[in-house]
Every structure is written in C-alpha cells, then in structure tokens.
Amino acid sequence: MLAGVVVLLVGAVSASAVPQDPPPLPSKWTHLFQQEHRDALHWWNHTWLPQTVPSGAVVQIQLPGDPIRWVHDENRKCTPTTPLGLALPILDLFQFVRPEFLGQNKLPDPNRIDGTENIYTFDYRLDGIGVAAICLFPEPRPGTAYEISMPPGTPTDRYVLTLLVGVPQASLPLRRPHEDMGSTPSHDWFGPSRH
Amino acid sequence: MVLNRRGFLGAVGAAAAAGLASSSSGLTDLVLADGGRGAAGEQLRELPFLRSEGGLLDVGLTIHPQRLQIGDREVFVHTYNGMLPGPGLRFRPGDKLRINLINNMLPLGVPLNAPPPACAVRPPEEEDAPPLEPPPHPLECIPEMINHIAEGETVIQMNMTTNIHTHGLQVSPNDPADNIFLKLSPGHSHQYEYEIPDDHPAGLFWYHPHHHGSTTHQSWEGLTAPMIVEGDIDEVPELADIADRTIVLSTLWINQDGSTPSAVIIPTGGQMPFTTVPAVPTEMLFLMNGQLGPEIDIRPGETQRWRVLNSDPHEFMWFEVKDHELYQIGQDGIPFGTPRTVRSIMLPPANRAELVIRGGQPGRYRVIGKAYDQGHPGGARPEKELGTLVVAGPPANGRIPQRLVEPPKMPDLPVAAHREFRFKGDISGRRGLGVRFWIDGVAFDPDRIDTRVRAGTVEEWTWINEDIFQHPIHVHVNPFQVIDVQGISEGDTSWQTDPNIWWDTFRLPPFGRVTIRTYFRPDIPGRNVYPSKTVYHCHILHHEDNGMMGVLLIDPPEGRS
C-alpha cells in the first residue's frame, strides 16, 4: 500500500512536471464532491488515498445540512489527512495549495437524507501544484456523526477533503496526440464484423 | 427511413470496406459515425430500421467503442454497430426475432485521479443490517478483492459486462429469449431468439443492456435502440399515410475525454445530478435521436405520428411542444381505443408515448422536457432543451383519428393474489461507499425467488413508496393496468391515472402507493411449459444497479407444471 502511495505521489509530481498544455477548464467542468468524499471515512478500511485534480480545477462540495449548518471559515486550522492511516505525515513533504473560496449556496433537499433538510454547496478554485485541504465546519457541532450524514466514528468537528493539485485530468484510454475523430472506421478496431 | 436487413448491413459493410472518410453517402455517415454531425439546428434524423422478411428478423449487434461528433462535442463511447441510438428493429406479431450480440467493449472512462476503491465497504444488502463493524485489518480485504476480480465484479469489469433486454415485449424471459440474468463478458457473444406472439400489441418497444450493476453506465453511453411491432393501428386511415417519426430521447454522461466515467456513482444536487468516486468533471448531453437540439419540420395543419421513447436511465422527461396539443394514441407499446388530447406527456425513464401532432401556425416552437421535481436531491430537475418544431410550407389538412383499435382487455378472472411491495433507498453514505436501494428490505439477489406466480392468473400488486424519489417500476415481459394511485402531490399535473391504460413501467408518487392489476399470460411461447424467471425493478437504473430489483418466477399454467 505504501508503495502505491509513493507511486501515486511521485506520479503526481512527475506528471505535473512534464510540460503539458491541457485545455483550460470551463467552469461547467466542476469536480463535484459530497459527504461520501470526506477523507478516510470508516468504510475505506484504512485504504483511503487523496485524489488528484488539475491546477485551475473548480471544486464544489455538497453537504447535507439543516438543522446542522455548514460553515466555511478560513480562520480555523485545516490540515491534510495522512493517507492509509499512517502516522508519517507524508503529505507535509509537499507544497501546500491554498484553496480560493468562490462562494456558497443552498439547495432544497427535504426527506432525501434522514435528519437533513437542505444541501449546502461550497465552491473553490485550486491553482498550483501540491497538497490542498478544504475544511468545512458543522455548527453547532453535532453529538453524533449520523447528524451530518457520516458513518459512525467520523470526527464530528469538521468535514475535510484533501486533494493533490496539479495533475492533469486523465482517464483510460489515454488520448493519442492529434487523434482524428472518425479517421478510424469502427470495424477496424476489431477486424471484420462477424454478422 | 426503413431498410431491410440485407440493404442495411450491405450499406454498413460497403462503408467499412470503402473507408468512412471517403464516403459521401448520407447513410454511411449515419450508420458509422454520426451522432448528430454538424451544428445544432440540423434536421432531426430519421432512424434506420431493419425490418423482418418472411416472418424472420435476424440481426447482428456488436457493442464496440465508437468516436462520434455530437454538436461541437467529440465523444468516445460504446455503441451498437457504431450507431447512436443503435439500429432500429421492425417486425410483426408472429415473427421470429434473432439477435446475435457480440461484446467487444473496452475499458473506457476509467478515471486516473485515484486507485479504484477496492477495499471500501459497500452499504448492506439488508435494510435492517446492523451498523458497520469496526474495520478489519486492510490486508484482510485482499482475498475478497482477488475474488471480485476473478468474478468480474469490480466496477470497471462490471461496466464492460452486458446482455440485452427487449423492453416491453411479451416474450419468454428464459434463454435464449429475454434472459437478463445472462452475463456476457468482453470477447463473448450470445445468440438470442424471440417468438413474438401472434396477438402482440403494435407499438414502440426498445432494447438496452440489462446486466445488473452496469445498466446505468451503459445507458449513459447511449446503448439503446427502438423496436417497432407493426400491426392493426398502422392501418387506421388517419395514420396510415402520414409521416412516422421515431424519437429516442437519451442522455450521454461524459467526462472531458468524451467517455462515460467508469467509477462508483453517487448522487448530487444542482445542474449535475451525479458525481463519481473519485470525482471527475462531467457533462450531460440530452439528445433526440443522437442529436443535440435538432429541428423537426412540419407543415401548418400537417399531422405526423411521433413515437417517443425516454431511454434516459434517470431523468424524467416531461415532454412538451410549445403551443401544440398532442394526441396520444398509445402508451408503452399498447394502443388506445381513442386518442387522448394532452398539452404535455410525462415520460419517466423507459416509458414510451405514441402521439399525433398537427402543425400550428408557421413559426418555430421549442420542444422541451419541462422542469420537474422527481425526488432527486436538490429539488426540481431543470428544464431541458430538446429541439425545435419548425412549422413552415404550404398548409395541409391533416386529420386526427377519432377511433383507433380495440385495446387488449384484462381477463374477467378472480384476483388470485394480492401482494404488497415496499420500495426504499439510502443515499446517505453512512453505511458504506455508494448508495443502496431495497425492495421489502433486501437488495437484488439473482438466486433468490422473491415473488412466485402462476401463468393464467390475475393478481393485484400494491407498490408502497417509502421514499421521496419517484421510483418508476418496470415489470418485465408482462404489462399491467394501474387501478389506484395514492399520494400525488397537490398541483402536480403530470400524472395519467386512467385505469384503462396499459403500462410496462409506472412511477410511484413520493411516499405514495400504486396498485396494479396484471394478467400473467399462459400462452407465451416458452412460458406455457417451463417456469419463467424474470424481474421487476426501478427503472431509475442507478437504483436498480444498487439493489432495487426483485426476482419473479412465473410457473406454467395449472396442470402444465
């Protein structure tokens, strides 16, 4: 597992170090997070790892709330979560990226999740290369994690989302450079059609 | 456009041999690459259909990745035979339908933002399961992880496993017919064969993948296609000679590479109703016949027949053409006795409506899916721009039919059984990664028989919704009538509750209940001799994939088992 983390982190740094010219991210291409993305939730079984986002990513966090309110507060301490439950503060090796708070909103959400009435949304922009942590704070602090739609054992003082910033957004299969749409007839992918 | 199989497949083969780029044929573009080539505002394309000959329709469907241009977006998704939607099928009652399905899927849209959540615990299969136990040592999940990989049960593997469901057809659910328990992995094929009953209703049906766990993903890739059973209603004089359009509403959910994300899906509020773990930026494209915002031409006073399917796995389409009345002539493939005049038609996922529309005054009219609160987090889903009706040209004098055909009748039999079903879900994430949906407190288990009935009997089922989500419940191979609906929200005008209408999918009001009456036909080829195993489920496919499906066993008629 540790090897995996090292590979990921080294990969993140290497990938961000390679000269790339990714297309700019339009605002509609938001990375959407909600309560299940909170760091190191109980059901990750100690295998949680932070995910990557590109530099310039717009991030929205949606959390069920009311009567518990969620608050953005830059004055409170917010530190990244160490992956895999390790004591070694491995993320301290990285530069810290400060999230830019863009705004917040609330969506109606009665009867979807027990004990909550609305969805609080918080928007951020992340620029640079390194580790970012975004914290949101429930007020008043709930007595149980259930009240903020979290699994048992989740700390009730905050929602924290740790991200590795500066890795270009990618998925498999990787795009080939200058790949030309339609230049490869579909049937060439697998040989002649069998019907 | 209707092609016979030889002509259709010949066109495909010729196009492939000649090379796509060199062809100037409109058909070639249509078949191989075009999901709406060119700018928005193009003509709604007519879908190509394969038609049965001599009582047989024998087709090959290959699912493979295809790069397509949709408006100004480039997408890279799995398709049937390179087409979006897949090739349409037309046949008649009494025909035999054969489909050779080949799975040539690849891993598309696998996010590289984080390793897959291989050791994360999923929510429990039982609603009343105890709270999560303290986690074991992470190494203890390795044998389970290996087992999942060996069984093809990781998210990435599941999303490449498929089969086919002929939605709405009254056929045998046993192999080689509408067997949705089949698991077709990449590199494999399966030969399906369906006997269409001699008295099968004439109307619009459709086919789509139905492998439990991947139906949502594959639907969001656009794997869907219409089927038309031809028959008596086509001979109604006012319908026989008018333009006959099939309109497939679908949604592509794509990442920035144009592929559908292959990851655990979880709900969100706002414009984008879902995200993934890990989170990736996405976009949803709402399409008509694979096109963004096409134009539909009609002359003033002209009547056209529209067969409209909502194949979206999640979004309700409250279909409306501005300033035009719609004359509905059938629902879910079963014709009405007389047309019903409506201003708009609600199409939850899987529903079909067959309509006649008459062109109004010259002008341009928006075709939309109206905003509607279907229970999803965040409130009403926003209005969707689907296309534009363009009324122009010399006036015509189209007629709306007054009489259609004799619809099927429910047999006058005593109700053999009354049953109740409870539908409930948990989207909180409190008990594991992802969501879970249950029927009667348990998630889908293909090896458990949940409901056992006998062919040749009439039953009444009451579906009780314990959610605010409006679950559209679909019963396979067996239509039904809705005899009672409780719980429709005040002011919600989107409901049709006439007990004479036949459905194969009907939604449950929030915290409401619906009672259906159904007749398990004893005369379906294959079903009259052997027990038939099939399913009923929520057609918000994200709910089905996460458990909201039950197994139905239909025993042969009394004296035949």
Side-chain angles (χ1 to χ4, degrees), chain A residues 25 28 32 34-37 42-43 45 51-52 62 108-109 112 114 146 149 169-172 175 179 181 186 190, chain B residues 64 66-67 69 109-110 112-113 120-121 135-136 256-257 267 269 275-276 279 283 375-378 428-430 432 434:
Chain A
L25 280 168
K28 68 181 176 183
L32 270 179
Q34 47 107 289
Q35 69 273 12
E36 294 200 38
H37 291 96
H42 181 76
W43 39 250
N45 196 12
Q51 78 158 80
T52 65
Q62 300 189 354
D109 203 42
R112 272 74 168 184
D114 285 350
Y146 188 90
S149 193
Q169 185 64 39
S171 64
L172 287 177
R175 294 290 305 272
E179 197 167 36
M181 187 212 61
S186 60
F190 307 102
Chain B
H64 62 79
Q66 178 69 52
R67 203 168 290 285
Q69 184 81 28
V110 179
L112 299 179
N113 302 67
V121 175
Q256 289 173 305
D257 292 332
T275 186
T276 53
E283 178 183 31
H376 191 78
S428 69
R430 290 175 176 126

Side-chain angles (χ1 to χ4, degrees), chain B residues 119 213 230 303 407 434 544 546:
Chain B
C119 281
E230 300 175 340
T303 52
E544 183 270 293
N546 287 286

Side-chain angles (χ1 to χ4, degrees), chain B residues 70-125:
Chain B
I70 296 180
D72 59 356
R73 279 83 156 177
E74 183 183 329
V75 304
F76 189 43
V77 291
H78 289 111
T79 60
Y80 291 115
N81 295 1
M83 301 170 62
L84 177 68
L89 309 177
R90 286 184 87 116
F91 43 88
R92 299 186 63 80
D95 282 356
K96 179 177 288 187
L97 169 64
R98 289 167 52 86
I99 297 175
N100 186 37
L101 178 66
I102 301 171
N103 181 359
N104 279 339
M105 289 174 141
L106 292 175
L108 302 185
V110 179
L112 299 179
N113 302 67
C119 281
V121 175
R122 301 300 304 276
E125 304 275 324

Side-chain angles (χ1 to χ4, degrees), chain B residues 122-133:
Chain B
R122 301 300 304 276
E125 304 275 324
E126 293 83 29
E127 181 184 353
D128 58 359
L132 280 175
E133 292 295 318

Side-chain angles (χ1 to χ4, degrees), chain B residues 213-451:
Chain B
S214 62
T215 58
T216 321
H217 177 85
Q218 292 174 12
S219 178
W220 269 326
E221 291 197 290
L223 284 167
T224 180
M227 297 190 294
I228 289 176
V229 178
E230 300 175 340
D232 49 4
I233 192 170
D234 304 324
E235 309 304 322
V236 171
E238 294 89 347
L239 303 177
D241 296 319
I242 63 176
D244 184 352
R245 298 184 185 274
T246 300
I247 297 175
V248 176
L249 308 178
S250 65
T251 302
L252 288 188
W253 189 35
I254 53 172
N255 63 18
Q256 289 173 305
D257 292 332
S259 293
T260 306
S262 187
V264 175
I265 300 164
I266 50 178
T268 50
Q271 195 77 19
M272 187 60 60
F274 292 96
T275 186
T276 53
V277 178
V280 299
T282 56
E283 178 183 31
M284 277 191 171
L285 305 180
F286 297 101
L287 308 178
M288 293 177 78
N289 290 357
Q291 296 167 280
L292 268 178
E295 294 182 350
I296 308 171
D297 284 347
I298 193 169
R299 292 160 55 197
E302 177 193 356
T303 52
Q304 295 185 356
R305 181 178 180 180
W306 289 9
R307 309 171 189 256
V308 186
L309 154 68
N310 180 14
S311 68
D312 187 300
H314 166 258
E315 203 89 6
F316 287 32
M317 297 288 183
W318 196 358
F319 187 83
E320 180 175 284
V321 182
K322 288 293 183 187
D323 299 328
H324 282 74
E325 289 185 326
L326 305 171
Y327 304 90
Q328 186 176 6
I329 60 172
Q331 175 72 41
D332 286 0
I334 300 184
F336 293 165
T338 56
R340 299 161 191 269
T341 306
V342 292
R343 296 296 306 187
S344 56
I345 288 187
M346 173 56 81
L347 293 170
N351 278 137
R352 289 89 66 205
E354 294 178 56
L355 319 164
V356 174
I357 185 170
R358 180 159 51 196
Q361 295 299 312
R364 299 172 63 83
Y365 302 89
R366 296 164 65 223
V367 181
I368 61 170
K370 295 165 67 174
Y372 187 71
D373 187 351
Q374 61 184 71
H376 191 78
R381 303 298 310 142
E383 182 176 291
K384 290 160 279 288
E385 291 287 340
L386 300 173
T388 304
L389 180 72
V390 180
V391 183
N397 189 24
R399 291 177 300 138
I400 305 298
Q402 300 302 305
R403 300 289 308 168
L404 297 168
V405 295
E406 192 66 32
K409 281 193 165 49
M410 180 68 71
D412 186 17
L413 293 172
V415 175
H418 298 266
R419 303 176 195 266
E420 285 191 354
F421 304 78
R422 293 183 305 109
F423 297 82
K424 185 172 176 54
D426 177 7
I427 62 168
S428 69
R430 290 175 176 126
R431 294 200 282 175
L433 172 61
V435 299
R436 186 65 80 196
F437 288 86
W438 304 281
I439 302 177
D440 292 334
V442 293
F444 174 65
D445 178 350
D447 298 321
R448 183 189 63 227
I449 303 299
D450 296 295
T451 305

Side-chain angles (χ1 to χ4, degrees), chain B residues 464-520:
Chain B
I464 301 166
N465 189 4
E466 298 183 345
D467 281 330
I468 196 168
F469 316 121
Q470 292 188 27
H471 300 293
I473 305 302
H474 171 44
V475 183
H476 281 214
V477 301
N478 214 80
F480 54 84
Q481 292 179 314
V482 173
I483 60 172
D484 187 48
V485 183
Q486 300 290 329
I488 295 174
S489 303
E490 192 175 336
D492 185 344
T493 59
S494 66
W495 291 80
Q496 287 195 86
T497 58
D498 185 328
N500 294 308
I501 299 175
W502 288 86
W503 308 79
D504 61 44
T505 308
F506 194 86
R507 63 190 159 129
L508 312 185
F511 301 110
R513 59 169 59 203
V514 165
T515 300
I516 67 161
R517 183 175 293 155
T518 188
Y519 173 59
F520 301 100

